Amino acid sequence: MKDVQFGELPFLKYDHEVLSYVYSPDGTSFTVALSDGNISVYATSNWEKTWILSGHGFGVNSIAYSPNGAQIVSGSGDCSVRVWDVAAGHCLYIFIGHTSGIMSVAYSPQGNVVASRESGGTVRLWDLEAAGCPSVISGYGSVVDMAFSPNGDNIAFSSIDCWVRIWDVASGEYRSILTGHTHDISTIAYSAQGDVLISKDYDNVVRLWDIETGSRIHRLSGHKSGTNSLAYSPQGDQLVSGGVDMEVRLWDVETGECRQTMTGHTAEVAMVLYSPKGDYIASASYDKTVRLWNVGSGSSRKISKHHSGGIVHLKHSPKRNQVASCSWESTIQLWDALTGVHSHTLTGHGGSVNTISYSPQGDQLVSCSFDNTVRLWDVESGACLYTLTGHTGPVNDVTFSPRGDQIASASGDKTVRLWNVSTGECQHVLTGQNIYAFVVTYSPQGNQVASANSDGTVRLWSVETGDCQHSLTCHSERIHRIVYSPNGNQIASASDDKTVRLWDVKTGMCSHTFVGHQSGVTRVVYSPRGHQIASASRNDKTVRLWDTESGECLLTLAGH
């Protein structure tokens, strides 16, 4: 896109309302559907518009890419479904038959069938090979959501009569009905294996169903919203979570019981952490405040009044009673954790600060930003010691080595850089990644760095040589978090593919795949002894505890 500089996010402006938008499976294109009936396709490499797909007579309410990214399907208020060739930019098929506007469209996992849902309640299945409609599902009231099974054999849909129905895609025959909800069902989804279906109604009740028998496995109530952050207590007997529901919750790891629900924030809780002694918890929120909570009483003190934007990251100094917070408005604030007194405002970044990290000695702080830079700060004086330049894209993550003599940074320019703390010089540029580097972390011994990309790949690098030692490629979607076990023998990775994986650092082999979350896993942490892992999903609203030896799910914590 013209005039867009490195590190600047593109801004797409339209004269008509945006009704739907979606990335291609490989992330190389971005498509927007508009109320004027047009569809705009962009190349994400430069944000130039590659096609305007025209033909619909009314607004395009829903669009979806085929699994291989070669096609786009669109559903419109003109009652038609269109299939487009992405490479050529022309319409392959026009499917007519609906009698009211199309509200949603979806491809089967194999890409050979398209499902379309109209506002009147009818679902149609379109065979792309035969270019026809072999199945029409109607007569059950307004359909709210639909989902293909992972193998594409079945499709499930929910309706306002509080039932979930499952149909055979090939024959179009009714297979089973799942009953039990007492309110309209808003969302349904299959498990990764396809043997379990999850449904959520507007009363915030979640039910898990056995697909084979149609019986209910679990009824989960009390959910409000998802979980943004997790942290174990230093002793490992407690877990704290921060939620979209503005609450901080304290959990007993042994029993899974919620010991305390701490309220006071007025917006999502972005991050939570324990003090080094475990006697209090710090939480940061999009309400622009940091709160300190007494673990024993649950009472809190609001200490942050200096941020003008939502707080996105929070760190406690390992050696002193100090807390650092950063936010969208490009500043970093330092606080006395005991008194709540503000000590310094660190300014200099030209964009939102993404991550901050203390040195092991606690005397320095490192930060990274959308302005493509890394900054090193003296926490006693608040002075900027170095501005580390070299990245040509936003810097997404940054961390100190265990000895504090080196810094690692991960960037949207597809590189990881290792920096000398004493001189500010770049020692290694780690290349070979074909997409954004989102996360970076050191091994406990400091001899290895792990990085994770948006394509689901984890890479292990030698700190001494800068060589890639292993490329771990089992995840199918973006990785949000990677963390080494306390002894450094394992790495845990959390992904949008709904799984957590454990990797053997020496061999690069996957030792366990933890399956159970119903949506992308955004957080993962080891217990202090390394025998447990806690994982959290923002959208399925659960925290799960896993045994690292057996791979068994020990507890599912629900409440946020």
Side-chain angles (χ1 to χ4, degrees), residues 204-498:
N204 290 323
V205 172
V206 176
R207 294 174 185 263
L208 303 183
W209 309 88
D210 185 299
I211 292 297
E212 189 64 33
T213 65
S215 60
R216 190 186 78 196
I217 303 171
H218 293 296
R219 180 184 185 274
L220 313 177
S221 61
H223 294 276
K224 299 175 186 176
S225 303
T227 303
N228 284 331
S229 183
L230 287 176
Y232 273 97
S233 65
Q235 297 77 22
D237 60 335
Q238 294 178 346
L239 189 74
V240 65
S241 58
V244 181
D245 56 9
M246 303 179 283
E247 295 177 349
V248 176
R249 288 181 177 251
L250 190 62
W251 306 89
D252 185 292
V253 171
E254 187 68 29
T255 65
E257 294 179 0
C258 180
R259 290 184 176 179
Q260 290 188 55
T261 299
M262 295 172 273
T263 60
H265 284 296
T266 58
E268 289 186 34
V269 180
M271 194 167 185
V272 291
L273 53 84
Y274 274 92
S275 63
K277 293 181 181 179
D279 54 343
Y280 65 86
I281 293 164
S283 60
S285 169
Y286 295 152
D287 66 6
K288 309 175 189 176
T289 70
V290 174
R291 285 181 176 264
L292 299 181
W293 308 86
N294 184 289
V295 170
S297 66
S299 61
S300 76
R301 181 172 69 252
K302 183 168 65 174
I303 65 171
S304 174
K305 300 176 183 177
H306 289 70
H307 284 295
S308 60
I311 300 172
V312 295
H313 206 74
L314 187 69
K315 283 290 184 181
H316 196 292
S317 169
K319 298 292 185 181
R320 56 181 72 194
N321 291 312
Q322 189 180 69
V323 171
S325 57
C326 65
S327 78
W328 295 324
E329 96 285 10
S330 77
T331 67
I332 302 160
Q333 308 290 347
L334 303 184
W335 315 88
D336 186 294
L338 297 181
T339 65
V341 174
H342 176 262
S343 58
H344 292 294
T345 298
L346 311 183
T347 61
H349 279 298
S352 173
V353 180
N354 292 324
T355 309
I356 49 178
S357 178
Y358 275 97
S359 66
Q361 297 76 24
D363 58 338
Q364 294 178 338
L365 187 80
V366 66
S367 59
C368 66
S369 168
F370 272 113
D371 66 4
N372 304 355
T373 70
V374 174
R375 286 179 176 256
L376 185 64
W377 310 86
D378 180 272
V379 299
E380 188 67 35
S381 66
C384 180
L385 303 175
Y386 292 111
T387 299
L388 311 180
T389 60
H391 283 299
T392 57
V395 186
N396 301 309
D397 198 16
V398 67
T399 187
F400 273 96
S401 66
R403 291 201 307 264
D405 59 341
Q406 196 178 67
I407 291 168
S409 56
S411 171
D413 65 8
K414 307 178 186 179
T415 70
V416 171
R417 287 177 176 256
L418 305 183
W419 310 85
N420 184 294
V421 170
S422 298
T423 65
E425 294 178 355
C426 181
Q427 295 175 305
H428 290 296
V429 180
L430 312 182
T431 60
Q433 297 155 131
N434 57 6
I435 203 163
Y436 269 38
F438 272 106
V439 189
V440 65
T441 187
Y442 279 92
S443 66
Q445 296 78 17
N447 62 334
Q448 192 178 69
V449 163
S451 64
N453 297 356
S454 58
D455 65 356
T457 302
V458 177
R459 287 179 169 83
L460 307 184
W461 310 85
S462 167
V463 168
E464 183 179 353
T465 65
D467 294 333
C468 182
Q469 298 171 321
H470 293 293
S471 184
L472 318 178
T473 57
C474 286
H475 283 297
S476 59
E477 296 187 44
R478 173 185 169 179
I479 296 171
H480 286 275
R481 285 290 182 272
I482 50 175
V483 59
Y484 279 90
S485 61
N487 63 12
N489 293 334
Q490 288 181 335
I491 287 177
S493 54
S495 169
D496 271 340
D497 66 9
K498 308 177 188 177

Side-chain angles (χ1 to χ4, degrees), residues 8-30:
E8 182 182 353
L9 296 178
F11 179 81
L12 309 177
K13 187 175 181 180
Y14 302 96
D15 295 328
H16 299 274
E17 183 181 0
V18 175
L19 300 180
S20 183
Y21 52 88
V22 65
Y23 276 97
S24 63
D26 62 2
T28 59
S29 64
F30 181 75

